[in-house]
Amino acid sequence: KRFTLNSDAFRDGGTSNSSPMVLASFSDKSGINISDAGIGHQLSLTLDDKTVYSDVSTYYTPETGDPTSGSISYPLSQVEAGKHKLTLTVWDNANNSSSATLTFNVAAHSGPVIYGLSTDRNPATTDVRFILMTDQLDGDTDCILEVFDLNGRKIWTTLAKANAETSSLSIPWDLR
């Protein structure tokens, strides 16, 4: 169903930070094999055809109400700058496997990328909450949010810290 890095906005061949979050969801009518008892039949990720991450099943979350579907959010860490290939292999309970591959580039000294900014209401009349999504998942990220009026004058500024677990910010403003 889905296999991406950091967000659904990522496209195959895109650029990532050095510690991307692998996001994937999948399903199979016989169910997903998350057992680590069988040799070579684990849910796994392979980076550049040589580094195998075989602990991926510990990051598996079954879909609520559907035992045949689930997802992973797997943190890769310290991937070297350059071009890479990542392969996800999933086994079902009938001993069949399926793989998906994506390519990505890790930029040297890549800063965070904002891929979403929205509010909880529009128009705002008494208060508003800004929701900001970033790809920076390998640590806390300081963000400065500034609001300008239609004449270009800055009317509000705040400093917030993106949470390393969720890569998102929720910033309230009372419109003053």
Side-chain angles (χ1 to χ4, degrees), residues 51-63:
T51 305
V52 177
Y53 301 91
S54 58
D55 63 340
V56 179
S57 63
T58 60
Y59 292 84
Y60 178 79
T61 303
E63 186 73 31

Side-chain angles (χ1 to χ4, degrees), residues 61-84:
T61 303
E63 186 73 31
T64 304
D66 183 2
T68 64
S69 298
S71 62
I72 60 163
S73 294
Y74 186 87
L76 289 178
S77 62
Q78 304 306 313
V79 180
E80 293 180 10
K83 295 184 186 273
H84 298 280

Side-chain angles (χ1 to χ4, degrees), residues 120-172:
D120 66 344
R121 60 191 74 178
N122 186 10
T125 55
T126 59
D127 63 331
V128 68
R129 183 168 297 277
F130 294 96
I131 298 107
L132 179 126
M133 301 295 291
T134 176
D135 72 345
Q136 195 69 37
L137 298 169
D138 57 352
D140 292 336
T141 302
D142 291 327
C143 297
I144 298 172
L145 180 64
E146 299 176 329
V147 176
F148 295 83
D149 68 13
L150 293 175
N151 293 320
R153 292 181 304 239
K154 187 183 332 179
I155 57 174
W156 184 69
T157 300
T158 189
L159 174 66
K161 189 175 286 285
N163 183 309
E165 287 82 38
T166 63
S167 75
S168 68
L169 284 166
S170 179
I171 305 167

Side-chain angles (χ1 to χ4, degrees), residues 4-144:
T4 186
L5 296 180
N6 294 325
S7 78
D8 287 334
F10 181 85
R11 297 293 173 248
D12 188 47
T15 300
S16 171
N17 56 329
S18 63
S19 296
M21 182 69 71
V22 178
L23 305 172
S25 60
F26 33 84
S27 65
D28 187 273
K29 63 183 177 185
S30 69
I32 306 300
N33 180 4
I34 57 170
S35 171
D36 59 2
I39 298 173
H41 287 203
Q42 293 104 338
L43 184 59
S44 65
L45 289 164
T46 305
L47 181 64
D48 299 327
D49 295 322
K50 59 183 176 182
T51 305
V52 177
Y53 301 91
S54 58
D55 63 340
V56 179
S57 63
T58 60
Y59 292 84
Y60 178 79
T61 303
E63 186 73 31
T64 304
D66 183 2
T68 64
S69 298
S71 62
I72 60 163
S73 294
Y74 186 87
L76 289 178
S77 62
Q78 304 306 313
V79 180
E80 293 180 10
K83 295 184 186 273
H84 298 280
K85 179 174 85 168
L86 186 66
T87 303
L88 170 68
T89 303
V90 178
W91 289 83
D92 67 12
N93 288 326
N95 246 2
N96 301 304
S97 69
S98 182
S99 295
T101 299
L102 62 85
T103 58
F104 65 101
N105 185 45
V106 172
H109 308 293
S110 174
V113 173
I114 295 171
Y115 63 87
L117 177 63
S118 60
T119 61
D120 66 344
R121 60 191 74 178
N122 186 10
T125 55
T126 59
D127 63 331
V128 68
R129 183 168 297 277
F130 294 96
I131 298 107
L132 179 126
M133 301 295 291
T134 176
D135 72 345
Q136 195 69 37
L137 298 169
D138 57 352
D140 292 336
T141 302
D142 291 327
C143 297
I144 298 172

